[in-house]
Amino acid sequence: MIKRPPSSDQLPKSAWAWISEYQPERRLEYLDFYTVVDSKGRYLPFDEFRHRIPKGLAVDIAWALTKEARSRTRQWILGLGEPARFCYYNDIPAIQKTKTLVDQATTTAALAWANRKIGEEQNFSYMLEDLIEDEAISSSQLEGAATTTLVAREMIKRRREPRTMDERMILGNFRMMRYVWDKRSLPLTTELIRELHAIGVAGIDDEKYRPGIFRSADNVVVEDSDGNIVHQPPIWTGLEDRLNRLCHWVNTDHDEIESQNYIHPLIKAISIHFAIGYEHPFNDGNGRVARALFYWFLFKKDYGAFRYISISNLLKEAATQYGKSYLYTETDEMDLTYFVDYQCSVIMRAIAAFKGHCQRTIEDIERFNKWLFNAGIYAKLTEKQKIVFQVAKGNSNSIFTARYVEERLGCSYNTAASVLNGLVDLELFEKRKDGKEWVYRLRSKNDIQNSWTAS
């Protein structure tokens, strides 16, 4: 459990007056805490702040000074709960840096540049397909799905029916992520929120999740791993009205940069993520809907590269810290900076991973084309076969079916089957029958080299 900060009414009305009366000789030391972030640029929550106070200084007084400094630069965002609690945040350097990176690297225009660098947009989107799947899989695993990533990818690529509840969860998330992309031009409504939930959880355990139905009781709580209640959502009465107010705020234009009401799209997307988690409108599955709406808003604002950037992949690795970022905000007078700051740290790493993947993809294509040319294979492959072969080389565990290639390359089923069988004839792929379906996979590097050397 985290250490909750003292409330405003527990702190002296004037920290400086207290210092002047009780510790005037240490005034300069206290002055170091009259700042929004510490000397390392960290926006520390009280739980960590209290351990960094020099011996002899009063922790609550140092905290009161920090709170006063933060109050002078905060920006109010939105109200949540009943009675309404208003969230605010401070635009600290770490958040500013993330906003700049998002603007530089994740817009649809930036993605188009990468497409041109590779040469064909279709190649690029197919090669990044695993990244689209990552968020759906990781978001489910964050919520407890036990299915491995490899098995989950196999299910999605083969379009096979899920065999377990965990696989149903992953497939529901995959469909939900596709849905938010398709619906990115729509305004947010409570009906859209319901539809997202229904798509994401239907058929998993309908009695538990109640797909698409807002909760109608106050029997839902969030517990930590030890069973302690860490979040009691606001009362269910008035929930739909509060969600309608949230939708109105989301649909309000905050894009005018010269306006006092300006909110960067990334901050707004993260705020939506937090709001759904805080209001907890459904019996279960709220986290998945919250993260899906985060993506939906960024898609709406033309940050197309987020289709390939998974935040859940990193949130899953530090689920405890993810939970704490909610708690730090809720227990410190709805200071959303903690949640925004943590999400920004995750997004920074996720974008770095995405950029690294793109760079490796570009380099792999260049090496691949050179090898194809030198080995005399290039002239034997069709353009579609080159795409599929390159994708397979990038992930040797990938499986392919004619139905999947048909969908990804936008061709007919017969053309897709011809592409795959042609790769088998060239001794680059192998195939096996699985039920009624042929499944194709890249042969091992040694087998390919031996076959072409022998020929």
Side-chain angles (χ1 to χ4, degrees), residues 152-168:
R153 282 208 174 117
E154 180 265 343
M155 173 187 66
I156 292 171
K157 282 181 167 57
R158 290 190 59 189
R159 300 296 187 262
R160 70 164 173 80
E161 289 299 310
R163 296 167 181 154
T164 66
M165 288 301 176
D166 290 335
E167 288 187 355
R168 286 181 187 276

Side-chain angles (χ1 to χ4, degrees), residues 190-409:
T190 54
E191 187 57 34
L192 180 58
I193 296 173
R194 291 179 193 271
E195 288 173 4
L196 277 180
H197 186 259
I199 291 168
V201 306
I204 300 173
D205 184 342
D206 289 356
E207 186 175 340
K208 171 186 175 184
Y209 287 94
R210 300 181 66 205
I213 300 175
F214 292 143
R215 60 184 171 90
S216 57
D218 293 324
N219 58 352
V220 177
V221 297
V222 180
E223 298 179 341
D224 63 18
S225 57
D226 297 322
N228 301 307
I229 296 176
V230 294
H231 176 57
Q232 175 71 60
I235 58 175
W236 74 272
T237 52
L239 173 61
E240 188 149 6
D241 287 340
R242 297 197 301 274
L243 291 176
N244 276 319
R245 288 199 296 271
L246 173 64
C247 291
H248 175 75
W249 177 79
V250 171
N251 297 330
T252 299
D253 184 4
H254 293 105
D255 293 343
E256 180 52 57
I257 199 165
E258 299 299 329
S259 167
Q260 289 185 338
N261 296 322
Y262 172 74
I263 305 174
H264 190 281
L266 178 66
I267 305 304
K268 200 164 175 179
I270 294 173
S271 300
I272 298 167
H273 181 168
F274 179 86
I276 296 298
Y278 182 80
E279 290 285 2
H280 238 65
F282 302 103
N283 279 9
D284 209 336
N286 294 282
R288 277 160 274 176
V289 173
R291 291 186 290 276
L293 284 172
F294 162 84
Y295 280 99
W296 167 84
F297 190 76
L298 288 175
F299 295 160
K300 172 183 282 292
K301 294 301 178 180
D302 214 24
Y303 292 92
F306 270 91
R307 284 197 83 191
Y308 311 104
I309 297 171
S310 172
I311 61 168
S312 293
N313 204 26
L314 296 171
L315 293 175
K316 181 181 65 175
E317 296 174 3
T320 299
Q321 195 60 36
Y322 178 35
K324 281 184 176 181
S325 68
Y326 270 106
L327 287 178
Y328 290 148
T329 291
E330 186 176 352
T331 58
D332 192 6
E333 301 175 332
M334 300 301 279
D335 185 347
L336 199 58
T337 316
Y338 303 115
F339 189 79
V340 174
D341 187 28
Y342 179 66
Q343 291 293 316
C344 283
S345 70
V346 167
I347 290 164
M348 288 280 283
R349 287 183 288 142
I351 292 174
F354 167 69
K355 291 173 69 177
H357 186 99
C358 289
Q359 186 61 41
R360 289 191 299 274
T361 298
I362 292 169
E363 292 169 356
D364 284 348
I365 288 173
E366 292 172 349
R367 285 194 297 267
F368 171 64
N369 287 338
K370 184 176 181 180
W371 178 78
L372 286 176
F373 183 81
N374 291 337
I377 303 173
Y378 195 88
K380 299 179 184 294
L381 294 176
T382 67
E383 286 303 311
K384 288 181 171 57
Q385 286 172 337
K386 290 173 186 175
I387 296 170
V388 174
F389 189 29
Q390 177 60 34
V391 171
K393 282 180 78 269
N395 183 359
S396 59
N397 289 319
S398 288
I399 64 165
F400 299 82
T401 65
R403 191 68 63 194
Y404 183 72
V405 172
E406 172 192 15
E407 179 181 333
R408 298 315 308 158
L409 291 185

